[in-house]
Amino acid sequence: MSNVVNVTGNVEISGVVGGNNSIGGGAASIQGYTTGSDAGVFAFKYDSKNFGNEPGSIQIWNSSTGVFKTFVVGHPTDTAKYLVHATLEGPEGAVYYRGTGRLENGRAEVSLPPYFEAFTREEGRTVILTNVDGFDPLAVQKVDGRKISNSRFIVVSSNPESTQEFDWEVKATRADGDPLNAEPNRDAMKVAAFGPYAFEVR
């Protein structure tokens, strides 16, 4: 069992604070708490081997977190609990939009945000339709050869009198960056990390 030293007041140290955190070397660990009293152990690491003698070589690692990128929120029905959710991941810089529509005389036009065309790439856009309380056939009708044109898409049914309700979801990739290389070679990029959040250093 390790010894614990409790100090009330400030601590001033002339020298070096070291440790033996599992991230490697002599990394020092610090116990941290959120405003909700959730605890986490953080370790400071100096990685000049990979990043040189520069600010980017100084890293803070969350040693108490696993590989999932998580966030914690208050539980909506049980005040004695938290909700811990993980982020959704994929091999692209994707965005999504969703909503509900209804056909009128077998047709509906769905409008996306006006910035959609400038914000997303034209290639690879997808539209998913789900019937609600009915079974009339649904399809996306192309306009000028495109599923989505001028930030809109059209849903039709083979039933010309259909008033079918439907949920819809559009996914696309952002246009303001290069396509993501999901499998880069290790020697082709520098990587830094903050807890489970690893990122490319440029």
Side-chain angles (χ1 to χ4, degrees):
M1 182 175 180
S2 60
N3 294 325
V4 176
V5 177
N6 294 316
V7 178
T8 301
N10 299 328
V11 176
E12 183 176 328
I13 298 174
S14 296
V16 176
V17 177
N20 58 355
N21 190 280
S22 60
I23 66 171
S29 301
I30 294 179
Q31 176 74 67
Y33 293 90
T34 69
T35 54
S37 298
D38 189 28
V41 177
F42 295 84
F44 292 86
K45 181 180 180 182
Y46 179 67
D47 193 353
S48 60
K49 177 180 179 181
N50 291 316
F51 306 109
N53 187 20
E54 57 187 45
S57 64
I58 302 173
Q59 303 171 34
I60 303 175
W61 291 56
N62 184 350
S63 304
S64 59
T65 305
V67 297
F68 300 111
K69 300 176 182 66
T70 61
F71 58 92
V72 180
V73 297
H75 198 290
T77 60
D78 189 340
T79 58
K81 294 182 179 180
Y82 288 112
L83 281 183
V84 180
H85 283 183
T87 60
L88 183 66
E89 298 181 354
E92 59 182 352
V95 293
Y96 77 90
Y97 306 87
R98 64 188 180 91
T100 299
R102 183 182 291 276
L103 300 182
E104 184 176 342
N105 296 324
R107 185 182 187 276
E109 183 175 284
V110 178
S111 296
L112 297 166
Y115 57 79
F116 177 83
E117 294 293 345
F119 189 53
T120 66
R121 297 180 180 276
E122 184 175 336
E123 63 273 14
R125 295 172 177 176
T126 58
V127 182
I128 299 174
L129 305 174
T130 304
N131 286 45
V132 177
D133 198 26
F135 300 98
D136 280 356
L138 297 174
V140 175
Q141 184 179 67
K142 287 186 176 181
V143 177
D144 297 328
R146 297 188 294 174
K147 289 177 286 187
I148 300 172
S149 180
N150 295 321
S151 298
R152 292 176 172 83
F153 66 92
I154 295 174
V155 181
V156 296
S157 174
S158 57
N159 175 7
E161 298 179 353
S162 177
T163 58
Q164 176 67 57
E165 185 180 8
F166 60 92
D167 290 336
W168 60 266
E169 183 178 89
V170 169
K171 288 191 175 77
T173 56
R174 288 175 54 168
D176 55 348
D178 295 330
L180 181 66
N181 178 7
E183 296 183 278
N185 293 326
R186 286 178 175 264
D187 59 2
M189 63 186 299
K190 290 184 177 181
V191 177
F194 181 85
Y197 303 93
F199 51 91
E200 182 179 4
V201 177
R202 297 184 178 180

